[in-house]
Amino acid sequence: MNDDAVILLSEYLRIDTTNPPGNESKAVAFFQKIFSQEGIEYKIYEPDSGRASIRAILHGSGKKKPIILLNHMDVVPAEKQEWSVDPFGGEIKDGFIYGRGALDMKSQGIMELMAFLEMKTIGRTPDRDIIFLATADEEAGGTQGIQYLMENHAKDFSAEFVINEGGFGISGFIPERPVFMIATAEKGLCWLKVRATGQPGHGSVPHGQNALEKLNAAIYRLLSEKSAITLTPIIQTYFNNIGTAWSFLEPFIKDQKPETLETILNQTGLIQMPQISAMLRNTISLTQIHSGDKVNVIPASAEATLDIRLLPGQSLEEFLHQIRDKMGDENLQLDILTQSEASTSPPDTPYFQLIEESIKQQYPSALVTPSLLFATSDSRILRRHGITTYGFCPAIIDLPEIQRIHGIDERISIESLISGTSLFKKTVKKLCME
Ligand SMILES: [Zn+2]
């Protein structure tokens, strides 16, 4: 059965679902074939040609409310010439399965599928309906996927609990203990366009009204100072949990003061880790600048885009005020291109406990903690509908491997896939039969 996971993932990775354009219908056909063979009830939703999602259901006794195993089928583009293997070749070598989506998140899709199919083979009626849902368009915001589904077919997804992407088991973070992050929250997002205008002119006669220079100076002022540290409740819990393994966090465990944590993170240099920094701050990344098209012409306008991520509980309006103040140029025009609020599910639920129990069954020394996803996922839409949603991928990944997500030579080890599949089966069984 475990080898099935490897074969299926390799096959699944060969389906090119690069978004845009997505072509998720091809991946839907892959799942449809399996559900038909197994005699499992399924439904396909296709808001636009090629942009399909699929839902399969195992009916339970109704003793408990339904749960959803959620995964997205689309992947971000891969620059083939940068890769050492074909990103859509599903190649297996040196104990790894390679391909765009190997971590984000076709592997979890297969683990969910295997756990779902296992519940059918057990031959006992589960206590609740189990829904397998593979969506389109997550990587581009979900308009053709989860947003469409929740706006038009919400009754098909009236679940009490959802497992989605967002948290891995990590090795190499704490010596000899895997750390399982369960993402109970994710950051908010705001994409902002900043526009400067000035006077055009000949490059040989600088006049101090150069739009690009104005923009450049304002962005420099903005980015030369990091935003302040904020200790949100979820990150407080996170460091309290990690503190059971990192003894240098002891002073913070005792007094729970944000300034104590900040001092420790500074002293240990941990604050320099981009991931630790992003847990504690609203972040800004400068991602695009457009201006000018000739080397000897002073441009009349210049535009930059900023990718802003906000911690849960933070006001976007207030943060935009701070941004304006730091840039120190009131003539700049700021336009919000897109935004979405941070989303949170409570971490103190029976679901969390059950997941933790199943992890500890397989890895007695594991450290399990709620965590915050920095990016956005389909979870935010479900949380908006009041559904408790956790990001939980039961595979253990080596810390450096995480860099391959959206990067080059994305891969998952066969061992991680097999042990992750086994843990996913335990978890779903616990949620539905015990
Ligand atoms: Zn993803």
Side-chain angles (χ1 to χ4, degrees), residues 117-132:
L117 296 178
E118 168 102 339
M119 293 307 287
K120 171 140 193 291
T121 22
I122 283 177
R124 255 170 61 199
T125 309
D127 295 340
R128 53 172 96 220
D129 291 354
I130 310 170
I131 295 166
F132 172 92

PDB file of all heavy atoms in Angstrom, residues 117-132:
ATOM      1  N   LEU A 117      -8.726   6.454   1.205  1.00  0.00           N
ATOM      2  CA  LEU A 117      -9.002   5.119   0.647  1.00  0.00           C
ATOM      3  C   LEU A 117      -8.929   4.048   1.737  1.00  0.00           C
ATOM      4  O   LEU A 117      -9.705   3.098   1.744  1.00  0.00           O
ATOM      5  CB  LEU A 117      -8.020   4.787  -0.487  1.00  0.00           C
ATOM      6  CG  LEU A 117      -8.090   5.680  -1.740  1.00  0.00           C
ATOM      7  CD1 LEU A 117      -7.025   5.256  -2.756  1.00  0.00           C
ATOM      8  CD2 LEU A 117      -9.475   5.653  -2.390  1.00  0.00           C
ATOM      9  N   GLU A 118      -8.003   4.240   2.660  1.00  0.00           N
ATOM     10  CA  GLU A 118      -7.842   3.287   3.769  1.00  0.00           C
ATOM     11  C   GLU A 118      -9.130   3.196   4.598  1.00  0.00           C
ATOM     12  O   GLU A 118      -9.533   2.116   5.021  1.00  0.00           O
ATOM     13  CB  GLU A 118      -6.667   3.746   4.659  1.00  0.00           C
ATOM     14  CG  GLU A 118      -6.575   3.017   5.984  1.00  0.00           C
ATOM     15  CD  GLU A 118      -5.502   1.950   6.007  1.00  0.00           C
ATOM     16  OE1 GLU A 118      -5.093   1.490   4.914  1.00  0.00           O
ATOM     17  OE2 GLU A 118      -5.081   1.586   7.108  1.00  0.00           O
ATOM     18  N   MET A 119      -9.776   4.351   4.799  1.00  0.00           N
ATOM     19  CA  MET A 119     -11.001   4.351   5.586  1.00  0.00           C
ATOM     20  C   MET A 119     -12.094   3.532   4.904  1.00  0.00           C
ATOM     21  O   MET A 119     -12.977   3.009   5.558  1.00  0.00           O
ATOM     22  CB  MET A 119     -11.497   5.795   5.811  1.00  0.00           C
ATOM     23  CG  MET A 119     -10.599   6.629   6.694  1.00  0.00           C
ATOM     24  SD  MET A 119     -10.238   5.861   8.282  1.00  0.00           S
ATOM     25  CE  MET A 119     -11.820   6.065   9.084  1.00  0.00           C
ATOM     26  N   LYS A 120     -12.011   3.467   3.572  1.00  0.00           N
ATOM     27  CA  LYS A 120     -12.989   2.652   2.851  1.00  0.00           C
ATOM     28  C   LYS A 120     -12.662   1.168   3.037  1.00  0.00           C
ATOM     29  O   LYS A 120     -13.547   0.361   3.311  1.00  0.00           O
ATOM     30  CB  LYS A 120     -12.962   3.000   1.362  1.00  0.00           C
ATOM     31  CG  LYS A 120     -13.792   2.063   0.518  1.00  0.00           C
ATOM     32  CD  LYS A 120     -14.535   2.792  -0.559  1.00  0.00           C
ATOM     33  CE  LYS A 120     -15.591   1.917  -1.202  1.00  0.00           C
ATOM     34  NZ  LYS A 120     -15.012   0.826  -2.011  1.00  0.00           N
ATOM     35  N   THR A 121     -11.365   0.817   2.937  1.00  0.00           N
ATOM     36  CA  THR A 121     -10.976  -0.604   3.016  1.00  0.00           C
ATOM     37  C   THR A 121     -11.197  -1.184   4.406  1.00  0.00           C
ATOM     38  O   THR A 121     -11.403  -2.387   4.537  1.00  0.00           O
ATOM     39  CB  THR A 121      -9.490  -0.802   2.633  1.00  0.00           C
ATOM     40  OG1 THR A 121      -8.815   0.424   2.806  1.00  0.00           O
ATOM     41  CG2 THR A 121      -9.335  -1.269   1.226  1.00  0.00           C
ATOM     42  N   ILE A 122     -11.171  -0.349   5.437  1.00  0.00           N
ATOM     43  CA  ILE A 122     -11.360  -0.854   6.802  1.00  0.00           C
ATOM     44  C   ILE A 122     -12.713  -1.558   6.919  1.00  0.00           C
ATOM     45  O   ILE A 122     -12.872  -2.530   7.644  1.00  0.00           O
ATOM     46  CB  ILE A 122     -11.245   0.308   7.838  1.00  0.00           C
ATOM     47  CG1 ILE A 122      -9.770   0.663   8.039  1.00  0.00           C
ATOM     48  CG2 ILE A 122     -11.885  -0.064   9.169  1.00  0.00           C
ATOM     49  CD1 ILE A 122      -9.516   1.821   8.956  1.00  0.00           C
ATOM     50  N   GLY A 123     -13.670  -1.050   6.136  1.00  0.00           N
ATOM     51  CA  GLY A 123     -14.956  -1.742   6.059  1.00  0.00           C
ATOM     52  C   GLY A 123     -15.888  -1.469   7.229  1.00  0.00           C
ATOM     53  O   GLY A 123     -16.879  -2.163   7.406  1.00  0.00           O
ATOM     54  N   ARG A 124     -15.551  -0.453   8.046  1.00  0.00           N
ATOM     55  CA  ARG A 124     -16.464  -0.068   9.129  1.00  0.00           C
ATOM     56  C   ARG A 124     -16.995   1.318   8.803  1.00  0.00           C
ATOM     57  O   ARG A 124     -16.285   2.129   8.213  1.00  0.00           O
ATOM     58  CB  ARG A 124     -15.674   0.020  10.439  1.00  0.00           C
ATOM     59  CG  ARG A 124     -15.910  -1.136  11.381  1.00  0.00           C
ATOM     60  CD  ARG A 124     -14.928  -1.090  12.530  1.00  0.00           C
ATOM     61  NE  ARG A 124     -15.063   0.142  13.311  1.00  0.00           N
ATOM     62  CZ  ARG A 124     -14.111   0.596  14.115  1.00  0.00           C
ATOM     63  NH1 ARG A 124     -12.961  -0.036  14.220  1.00  0.00           N
ATOM     64  NH2 ARG A 124     -14.289   1.697  14.802  1.00  0.00           N
ATOM     65  N   THR A 125     -18.218   1.593   9.181  1.00  0.00           N
ATOM     66  CA  THR A 125     -18.755   2.932   8.908  1.00  0.00           C
ATOM     67  C   THR A 125     -18.079   3.935   9.842  1.00  0.00           C
ATOM     68  O   THR A 125     -18.107   3.760  11.060  1.00  0.00           O
ATOM     69  CB  THR A 125     -20.282   2.959   9.152  1.00  0.00           C
ATOM     70  OG1 THR A 125     -20.840   1.875   8.436  1.00  0.00           O
ATOM     71  CG2 THR A 125     -20.891   4.271   8.684  1.00  0.00           C
ATOM     72  N   PRO A 126     -17.472   4.969   9.287  1.00  0.00           N
ATOM     73  CA  PRO A 126     -16.875   5.976  10.168  1.00  0.00           C
ATOM     74  C   PRO A 126     -17.945   6.775  10.931  1.00  0.00           C
ATOM     75  O   PRO A 126     -19.108   6.768  10.542  1.00  0.00           O
ATOM     76  CB  PRO A 126     -16.097   6.882   9.202  1.00  0.00           C
ATOM     77  CG  PRO A 126     -16.602   6.576   7.828  1.00  0.00           C
ATOM     78  CD  PRO A 126     -17.247   5.234   7.866  1.00  0.00           C
ATOM     79  N   ASP A 127     -17.520   7.438  11.995  1.00  0.00           N
ATOM     80  CA  ASP A 127     -18.463   8.204  12.826  1.00  0.00           C
ATOM     81  C   ASP A 127     -18.959   9.465  12.135  1.00  0.00           C
ATOM     82  O   ASP A 127     -19.848  10.145  12.627  1.00  0.00           O
ATOM     83  CB  ASP A 127     -17.781   8.638  14.137  1.00  0.00           C
ATOM     84  CG  ASP A 127     -17.429   7.444  14.995  1.00  0.00           C
ATOM     85  OD1 ASP A 127     -18.026   6.375  14.767  1.00  0.00           O
ATOM     86  OD2 ASP A 127     -16.550   7.586  15.871  1.00  0.00           O
ATOM     87  N   ARG A 128     -18.298   9.832  11.055  1.00  0.00           N
ATOM     88  CA  ARG A 128     -18.657  11.085  10.375  1.00  0.00           C
ATOM     89  C   ARG A 128     -18.368  10.963   8.883  1.00  0.00           C
ATOM     90  O   ARG A 128     -17.593  10.093   8.474  1.00  0.00           O
ATOM     91  CB  ARG A 128     -17.848  12.239  10.965  1.00  0.00           C
ATOM     92  CG  ARG A 128     -16.337  11.958  10.976  1.00  0.00           C
ATOM     93  CD  ARG A 128     -15.564  13.188  11.389  1.00  0.00           C
ATOM     94  NE  ARG A 128     -15.215  13.224  12.790  1.00  0.00           N
ATOM     95  CZ  ARG A 128     -15.257  14.296  13.563  1.00  0.00           C
ATOM     96  NH1 ARG A 128     -15.636  15.413  13.103  1.00  0.00           N
ATOM     97  NH2 ARG A 128     -14.908  14.272  14.814  1.00  0.00           N
ATOM     98  N   ASP A 129     -18.970  11.843   8.099  1.00  0.00           N
ATOM     99  CA  ASP A 129     -18.631  11.898   6.679  1.00  0.00           C
ATOM    100  C   ASP A 129     -17.184  12.356   6.557  1.00  0.00           C
ATOM    101  O   ASP A 129     -16.748  13.265   7.268  1.00  0.00           O
ATOM    102  CB  ASP A 129     -19.514  12.919   5.939  1.00  0.00           C
ATOM    103  CG  ASP A 129     -20.961  12.478   5.842  1.00  0.00           C
ATOM    104  OD1 ASP A 129     -21.264  11.334   6.242  1.00  0.00           O
ATOM    105  OD2 ASP A 129     -21.782  13.289   5.368  1.00  0.00           O
ATOM    106  N   ILE A 130     -16.468  11.722   5.630  1.00  0.00           N
ATOM    107  CA  ILE A 130     -15.097  12.149   5.335  1.00  0.00           C
ATOM    108  C   ILE A 130     -15.095  12.643   3.893  1.00  0.00           C
ATOM    109  O   ILE A 130     -15.464  11.899   2.978  1.00  0.00           O
ATOM    110  CB  ILE A 130     -14.086  11.006   5.495  1.00  0.00           C
ATOM    111  CG1 ILE A 130     -14.282  10.302   6.850  1.00  0.00           C
ATOM    112  CG2 ILE A 130     -12.659  11.527   5.384  1.00  0.00           C
ATOM    113  CD1 ILE A 130     -13.492   9.013   6.972  1.00  0.00           C
ATOM    114  N   ILE A 131     -14.702  13.888   3.736  1.00  0.00           N
ATOM    115  CA  ILE A 131     -14.692  14.485   2.396  1.00  0.00           C
ATOM    116  C   ILE A 131     -13.246  14.700   1.959  1.00  0.00           C
ATOM    117  O   ILE A 131     -12.441  15.268   2.707  1.00  0.00           O
ATOM    118  CB  ILE A 131     -15.453  15.838   2.402  1.00  0.00           C
ATOM    119  CG1 ILE A 131     -16.935  15.593   2.703  1.00  0.00           C
ATOM    120  CG2 ILE A 131     -15.283  16.572   1.063  1.00  0.00           C
ATOM    121  CD1 ILE A 131     -17.718  16.841   3.054  1.00  0.00           C
ATOM    122  N   PHE A 132     -12.933  14.221   0.766  1.00  0.00           N
ATOM    123  CA  PHE A 132     -11.635  14.501   0.142  1.00  0.00           C
ATOM    124  C   PHE A 132     -11.887  15.616  -0.863  1.00  0.00           C
ATOM    125  O   PHE A 132     -12.776  15.498  -1.713  1.00  0.00           O
ATOM    126  CB  PHE A 132     -11.116  13.240  -0.557  1.00  0.00           C
ATOM    127  CG  PHE A 132      -9.872  13.479  -1.385  1.00  0.00           C
ATOM    128  CD1 PHE A 132      -8.607  13.299  -0.845  1.00  0.00           C
ATOM    129  CD2 PHE A 132      -9.972  13.892  -2.717  1.00  0.00           C
ATOM    130  CE1 PHE A 132      -7.471  13.518  -1.612  1.00  0.00           C
ATOM    131  CE2 PHE A 132      -8.839  14.108  -3.488  1.00  0.00           C
ATOM    132  CZ  PHE A 132      -7.583  13.922  -2.932  1.00  0.00           C
TER     133      PHE A 132
END
